[in-house]
Amino acid sequence: MTWDVVIGLEVHVQLATRSKIFSGASASFGAEPNSQACAIDLAMPGMLPVLNADAVRMAATFGLAIDAELPAESVFDRKNYFYPDLPKGYQISQFERPIVGRGHLDLKLPGGGVRRIGITRAHLEEDAGKSLHEDFAGMTGIDLNRAGMPLLEVVSEPELRSAAEAAAYFRQIHVLVRYLGICDGNLNEGSMRCDANVSVRKSPSDPLGVRTEIKNLNSFRFLERAIEHEVARQIELIEAGGTVVRETLLYDPDRDETRPMRSKELSEDYRYFPEPDLLPVVLDTAQLDALRQGLPELPNAKRARFERDLALSAYDAEWLTSDPDVARYYEAVAATAGDPKLAANWVMGEWSAAMNRDAARTSPLAAEQLGRLIVRIKDGTISGKIAKTLFDALWKDPNKTVDDLIEAEDLTQVSDTAALAALVADVIRDNPEQVGQYRAGKTKVLGFFVGQLMKATQGKANPQALNELLKDALAEVRDR
Amino acid sequence: MTILEKDIDKLCALARLGLDADERSAARTDLERMIAMADAIAAVDTSGVVPLAHPLDATARLRADEVTEAVDRDAFQALAPLTHDGLYLVPRVIE
């Protein structure tokens, strides 16, 4: 039988501030252990939190982008629990009055089509430190650099229906926060993490089944695999006559299994109460209006515009808008090149291959240079083949310009009909055997002649002119 | 309201407190009096009253996003019972 799967996600977005959410300690990644944990992060006696204005701005920006209700006032609460990586014994979070209220995301479904997914809320909170369990002879090492990092926790409604949909939703939030510039999106540095609430039921009209929560998923692939695994486990359990228990699970990607988290065995009782050290946060209309004005073009709008105004295919538009840096680069290339489709081919082809090959984060080749290269293909100065050679040269030496290289290396395409015709005559004269085959109707041998001529011109022959000349010349031979 | 032994157990577990018999008994008396006071407050009709987030009639002043704290790790770690390569060491916690 088929089962109805119900998934809700909590996505933790680490906000791209310079300093922490409640202290002036640096929020940069990869520093020496505890070198960025100040007295406030360490919960030294008498320390008081002061809220980072940019964390508030980024949270509100996210709220605007998902068309959410933004309450005039939001409140911080203490979430109480003991763990060695939480020095205060409580986490400052938001419970009853989060900064971002109900909104939504129009999810592009993996099988095509769009469905609106409700976002229940998004709240600000501080991250905890990191526990390291290896190599300390029975002890656990604690690094508190991450303590106090600003997080925006985005909670979806339980409206996702499969592991693939959940992964698509996570991806789309990832793209959105990068467009908004509020998160660097580096999953391998923990900048985005995700908890999945999973339950199954026999029919969509049944009440929701008992759910389990899978914690700390930090890649799209693990999220999808963990949910697939958990759905299968729940179905198997119920079909064998068992019942699902509400529990918190950790996914182990090496073994492809979920197991209960020991620290969560005690039923959760966080005893939330309003944080007395922080006053309510106010978002006024003027501030929200200014933020709304400053919103960038969002991924869905950009994709639609690429299809509509640049006449790109749905596939190309999707590909080019899935990363804001790529989209920005492409737009600059297309603007210089004056040919959106050809620019798309180059960005998606040579450029992206070179970026991947070199694992480059920023392009060594300026967009304007690539644009000018495309202009020279379009105006017939160089052939597509030569352009690829030039691309490699420009990639290696970004200080050179397209026109310098064309001149220096004498790469201008040979379109001079008389010169080409002489070469065509030579090739026909030197290869009587292939001419014979062609005359016998084996027209494929044309490729052989083109190859010979390209060799003779070092690839500079204008392929169109060449083809025409060659066909005419061979037809003449055949007629004789 | 009566506080049961198991309530004390739960509160002790949540607060990480190990109380002896006398302390448990004292805690029970205190808790019963606190709950009685809360019950008295709860009897007041608060419909239409917005819950108070903070006793001060003021809103948060925000801090500019700038790195202002220098961290003297050695000074902080001199207070810790055990450290290793810049990490604080604690009795093993396993997930």
Side-chain angles (χ1 to χ4, degrees):
Chain A
M1 72 173 295
T2 59
W3 288 75
D4 187 47
V5 177
V6 179
I7 302 159
L9 289 191
E10 294 165 16
V11 179
H12 300 254
V13 177
Q14 185 179 294
L15 299 174
T17 54
R18 281 190 290 273
S19 64
K20 293 189 178 176
I21 183 167
F22 298 121
S23 81
S26 169
S28 65
F29 179 81
E32 282 288 298
N34 292 306
S35 63
Q36 294 182 168
C38 73
I40 297 166
D41 307 324
L42 294 173
M44 289 293 169
M47 295 298 112
L48 288 172
V50 187
L51 182 56
N52 186 330
D54 262 11
V56 172
R57 176 183 63 77
M58 291 177 186
T61 301
F62 180 81
L64 291 169
I66 59 162
D67 211 9
E69 295 160 22
L70 290 166
E73 220 175 74
S74 72
V75 174
F76 283 94
D77 297 277
R78 288 189 181 179
K79 179 180 179 178
N80 300 280
Y81 67 94
F82 285 104
Y83 207 74
D85 59 22
L86 189 73
K88 291 194 294 297
Y90 57 85
Q91 177 193 29
I92 304 179
S93 181
Q94 296 189 302
F95 188 52
E96 283 189 354
R97 298 169 68 186
I99 188 160
V100 175
R102 209 185 150 77
H104 57 80
L105 186 77
D106 288 328
L107 179 68
K108 294 189 305 290
L109 298 169
V114 170
R115 196 171 73 238
R116 181 160 285 192
I117 303 297
I119 291 178
T120 319
R121 56 183 284 166
H123 63 258
L124 282 169
E125 63 184 25
E126 58 180 340
D127 207 344
K130 218 160 116 183
S131 303
L132 304 150
H133 302 291
E134 304 85 27
D135 306 331
F136 306 109
M139 307 288 279
T140 293
I142 305 288
D143 177 5
L144 295 169
N145 281 349
R146 209 178 61 187
M149 292 292 281
L151 298 179
L152 184 68
E153 179 174 333
V154 181
V155 183
S156 86
E157 290 288 306
E159 294 176 351
L160 300 158
R161 290 282 174 270
S162 67
E165 273 186 29
Y169 169 90
F170 190 19
R171 266 180 227 274
Q172 211 168 310
I173 295 279
H174 179 254
V175 173
L176 180 61
V177 297
R178 292 204 55 218
Y179 266 76
L180 296 172
I182 64 172
C183 175
D184 65 21
N186 292 331
L187 274 76
N188 53 359
E189 293 177 3
S191 296
M192 279 182 81
R193 307 193 296 273
C194 181
D195 302 339
N197 289 292
V198 180
S199 68
V200 299
R201 57 185 170 184
K202 289 192 172 161
S203 148
S205 54
D206 287 352
L208 289 173
V210 175
R211 66 183 154 96
T212 56
E213 181 177 14
I214 317 169
K215 283 271 184 200
N216 251 339
L217 299 158
N218 65 355
S219 87
F220 305 121
R221 198 163 47 92
F222 288 165
L223 169 70
E224 193 164 345
R225 272 172 51 190
I227 293 175
E228 274 169 5
H229 177 276
E230 179 56 16
V231 165
R233 188 190 71 87
Q234 290 187 12
I235 292 172
E236 205 174 303
L237 188 65
I238 297 169
E239 287 184 341
T243 49
V244 176
V245 218
R246 187 162 169 180
E247 61 185 340
T248 306
L249 305 168
L250 271 185
Y251 176 67
D252 182 342
D254 295 332
R255 296 182 186 174
D256 191 26
E257 65 176 24
T258 52
R259 58 189 158 85
M261 271 176 89
R262 288 204 223 164
S263 64
K264 301 277 178 179
E265 274 169 5
L266 269 177
S267 68
E268 289 181 15
D269 187 346
Y270 292 126
R271 295 150 291 144
Y272 282 98
F273 63 86
E275 163 61 274
D277 289 342
L278 288 165
L279 290 158
V281 182
V282 170
L283 286 174
D284 63 46
T285 323
Q287 191 186 0
L288 288 178
D289 285 346
L291 288 176
R292 199 175 280 117
Q293 294 295 317
L295 275 183
E297 183 181 34
L298 297 180
N300 283 347
K302 196 181 277 291
R303 196 175 56 245
R305 179 169 62 81
F306 279 12
E307 285 185 49
R308 187 186 62 233
D309 296 352
L310 306 182
L312 295 185
S313 71
Y315 176 85
D316 289 1
E318 169 71 33
W319 196 100
L320 291 164
T321 54
S322 62
D323 179 317
D325 294 337
V326 173
R328 204 172 301 122
Y329 188 84
Y330 163 72
E331 289 198 81
V333 174
T336 310
D339 187 327
K341 180 59 193 161
L342 198 52
N345 292 347
W346 274 84
V347 170
M348 294 168 68
E350 297 299 311
W351 180 80
S352 106
M355 289 291 285
N356 285 336
R357 183 193 62 218
D358 295 358
R361 277 199 170 180
T362 53
S363 174
L365 177 60
E368 290 66 29
Q369 285 280 26
L370 180 50
R372 273 195 285 277
L373 182 69
I374 295 169
V375 168
R376 289 293 170 251
I377 303 168
K378 277 173 50 108
D379 69 12
T381 308
I382 52 173
S383 68
K385 190 158 175 279
I386 292 287
K388 289 186 181 176
T389 312
L390 266 183
F391 177 90
D392 291 336
L394 286 167
W395 185 268
K396 285 186 201 111
D397 190 353
N399 296 322
K400 294 261 168 54
T401 71
V402 176
D403 290 341
D404 286 350
L405 279 174
I406 291 174
E407 204 171 318
E409 313 245 335
D410 188 26
L411 295 173
T412 306
Q413 184 162 261
V414 180
S415 305
D416 174 355
T417 318
L420 283 177
L423 288 169
V424 166
D426 287 351
V427 168
I428 288 179
R429 188 195 57 223
D430 294 346
N431 297 283
E433 192 184 325
Q434 284 76 8
V435 174
Q437 289 170 357
Y438 186 83
R439 289 178 64 186
K442 220 176 149 192
T443 47
K444 268 192 192 162
V445 86
L446 195 68
F448 165 81
F449 291 110
V450 173
Q452 292 296 307
L453 286 158
M454 279 297 178
K455 212 155 117 190
T457 58
Q458 285 120 42
K460 287 183 288 183
N462 179 326
Q464 256 175 317
L466 192 66
N467 263 317
E468 276 168 32
L469 285 167
L470 198 53
K471 277 186 188 159
D472 289 350
L474 285 165
E476 258 175 50
V477 174
R478 199 153 58 171
D479 293 344
R480 259 183 276 159
Chain B
M1 171 177 175
T2 320
I3 301 283
L4 302 174
E5 280 299 310
K6 68 172 171 63
D7 296 325
I8 307 268
D9 288 345
K10 187 183 178 197
L11 290 171
C12 283
L14 286 170
R16 299 289 194 276
L17 290 176
L19 302 185
D20 62 25
D22 288 349
E23 287 166 332
R24 285 176 76 97
S25 158
R28 173 190 286 200
T29 311
D30 285 349
L31 283 165
E32 279 176 351
R33 291 174 56 203
M34 287 178 213
I35 300 235
M37 189 181 105
D39 284 345
I41 296 171
V44 178
D45 179 11
T46 54
S47 51
V49 177
V50 181
L52 187 68
H54 200 282
L56 296 183
D57 187 17
T59 56
R61 285 184 60 177
L62 307 181
R63 176 176 66 75
D65 180 25
E66 284 160 12
V67 177
T68 53
E69 292 284 326
V71 173
D72 184 348
R73 186 175 74 180
D74 292 341
F76 287 135
Q77 299 212 325
L79 305 170
L82 214 50
T83 60
H84 178 74
D85 282 352
L87 295 167
Y88 294 94
L89 291 189
V90 299
R92 171 164 276 183
V93 278
I94 291 259
E95 210 45 86

